Amino acid sequence: YGLGFAMVFRCNLAYYRWWEGRRWCEQMSSKWFDSLQQAISFDAFSEVSEIQHWEFRVQITGLYSLLHSQAMTELTHRDDIPWLTHHLENGKWLEAFYRRDLKDGVSQVILWIYLMLGERFQGHFVRAPIISRMYQELSSGLLGFHNAVMVQTTPFPFPFAQVISLTIFVLMVTFPLVAARYIEDLVLAMLFTWGSTFGYFLLSEVACEMEQPFGRDGSDLPLVGYQVDFDRSVSMLVGSVSYIPPAANHAFGLRIQKAIDSCNEDKLKQDSTCS
């Protein structure tokens, strides 16, 4: 019974860690994309030319794509995470960026974004408390990234894992003796022994796979797919979406106004009649 409770606890914790990794990745992506949308929306009110608007959108989307790619690289330790390379110039900065002695590229890219946004919206027509929303969303996305790193770098407690492994080994040795003592049929004893020990080993291996959701295994989170989906959403902000909201239906508005005026007149007549 003790081994069963320990296995249930470990499987539940592993499943929780797997979903925690997914949740923090989703928070990171959604908050950074929201910050990017706000930056582009606020820039639409800047008194600059349309070419400058377009250049800002291309540059800022390239930086956010690079930011997200570096976060995925840090979580998976892979160097083949794609990003929108054609949105930024391929200069010496790119070679120096990958050769630089950085803990992770996220810190560098998010610093570039802070500097770019500060320069772009200095003395902006939109009020500072509204502009600060971009930085808040960036910070929330960065919090999601660091929480995902926490899940990645914090292993399952080693003593607990060793106790479970030792208990499974003891079960593997003692269970055939118990089965042979209480089960007369040899075939049934072999089936019960194999099924029980294999089931515990299976649960232990499933827990080992799920407690680390980041990596290159088939059971890990598909972070490359998340990056591709993020890049598609980012690219949409450059050329696919419209920055002119649809106009209101004036005829419908007039009908609504007439209905309101009619209701007000009827109410005034009722009040005068009652008085």
Side-chain angles (χ1 to χ4, degrees):
Y1 290 107
L3 178 60
F5 281 118
M7 290 303 304
V8 169
F9 173 76
R10 185 176 186 183
C11 289
N12 286 337
L13 183 59
Y15 188 68
Y16 174 77
R17 283 170 58 89
W18 195 89
W19 275 109
E20 279 291 284
R22 178 67 183 95
R23 183 167 73 93
W24 294 126
C25 285
E26 186 64 28
Q27 175 178 326
M28 175 187 67
S29 301
S30 62
K31 293 297 182 180
W32 283 347
F33 184 72
D34 190 20
S35 174
L36 174 60
Q37 285 184 307
Q38 292 178 18
I40 294 178
S41 300
F42 295 155
D43 180 69
F45 297 95
S46 299
E47 296 179 356
V48 295
S49 63
E50 188 60 32
I51 296 296
Q52 290 175 314
H53 282 309
W54 183 83
E55 290 178 349
F56 174 79
R57 293 167 191 166
V58 172
Q59 183 182 9
I60 195 69
T61 51
L63 285 176
Y64 270 87
S65 176
L66 178 59
L67 173 65
H68 196 274
S69 173
Q70 287 301 305
M72 297 293 104
T73 300
E74 177 67 18
L75 292 174
T76 60
H77 298 293
R78 297 178 56 167
D79 297 329
D80 57 344
I81 304 296
W83 61 282
L84 302 178
T85 56
H86 57 281
H87 282 224
L88 301 175
E89 291 184 352
N90 293 327
K92 294 182 178 180
W93 71 269
L94 191 58
E95 183 179 356
F97 173 75
Y98 284 110
R99 290 184 178 179
R100 194 170 300 172
D101 187 17
L102 295 173
K103 176 182 177 295
D104 58 78
V106 174
S107 302
Q108 177 63 78
V109 180
I110 205 166
L111 177 61
W112 286 339
I113 293 176
Y114 283 145
L115 294 174
M116 182 180 177
L117 294 178
E119 180 183 5
R120 186 70 172 186
F121 297 111
Q122 185 178 9
H124 199 269
F125 177 74
V126 181
R127 300 297 181 185
I130 301 177
I131 292 293
S132 65
R133 182 68 181 175
M134 293 184 303
Y135 298 98
Q136 181 180 351
E137 295 300 293
L138 268 171
S139 179
S140 297
L142 191 61
L143 175 63
F145 166 69
H146 285 294
N147 283 332
V149 172
M150 177 186 65
V151 173
Q152 179 207 35
T153 57
T154 306
F156 190 82
F158 181 75
F160 195 90
Q162 291 300 104
V163 168
I164 290 179
S165 300
L166 179 61
T167 309
I168 291 178
F169 176 76
V170 172
L171 176 71
M172 182 180 63
V173 174
T174 59
F175 194 88
L177 302 177
V178 175
R181 174 68 177 81
Y182 292 99
I183 302 177
E184 297 180 356
D185 192 311
L186 179 61
V187 176
L188 289 179
M190 294 174 60
L191 288 177
F192 275 110
T193 301
W194 177 84
S196 300
T197 55
F198 179 76
Y200 279 110
F201 271 111
L202 181 64
L203 289 177
S204 179
E205 289 301 314
V206 168
C208 289
E209 285 292 325
M210 294 189 66
E211 68 189 20
Q212 180 51 267
F214 304 110
R216 302 188 180 189
D217 298 335
S219 58
D220 294 330
L221 294 173
L223 298 186
V224 177
Y226 297 163
Q227 176 67 30
V228 172
D229 183 71
F230 185 82
D231 286 342
R232 288 177 179 175
S233 301
V234 166
S235 301
M236 178 186 65
L237 299 177
V238 177
S240 300
V241 299
S242 174
Y243 291 93
I244 302 176
N249 188 339
H250 294 287
F252 179 74
L254 290 175
R255 290 198 300 270
I256 294 296
Q257 188 61 43
K258 289 180 180 179
I260 293 175
D261 294 340
S262 177
C263 290
N264 292 335
E265 291 178 359
D266 294 340
K267 185 177 180 181
L268 289 174
K269 291 179 180 179
Q270 292 177 0
D271 293 341
S272 61
T273 302
C274 294
S275 58

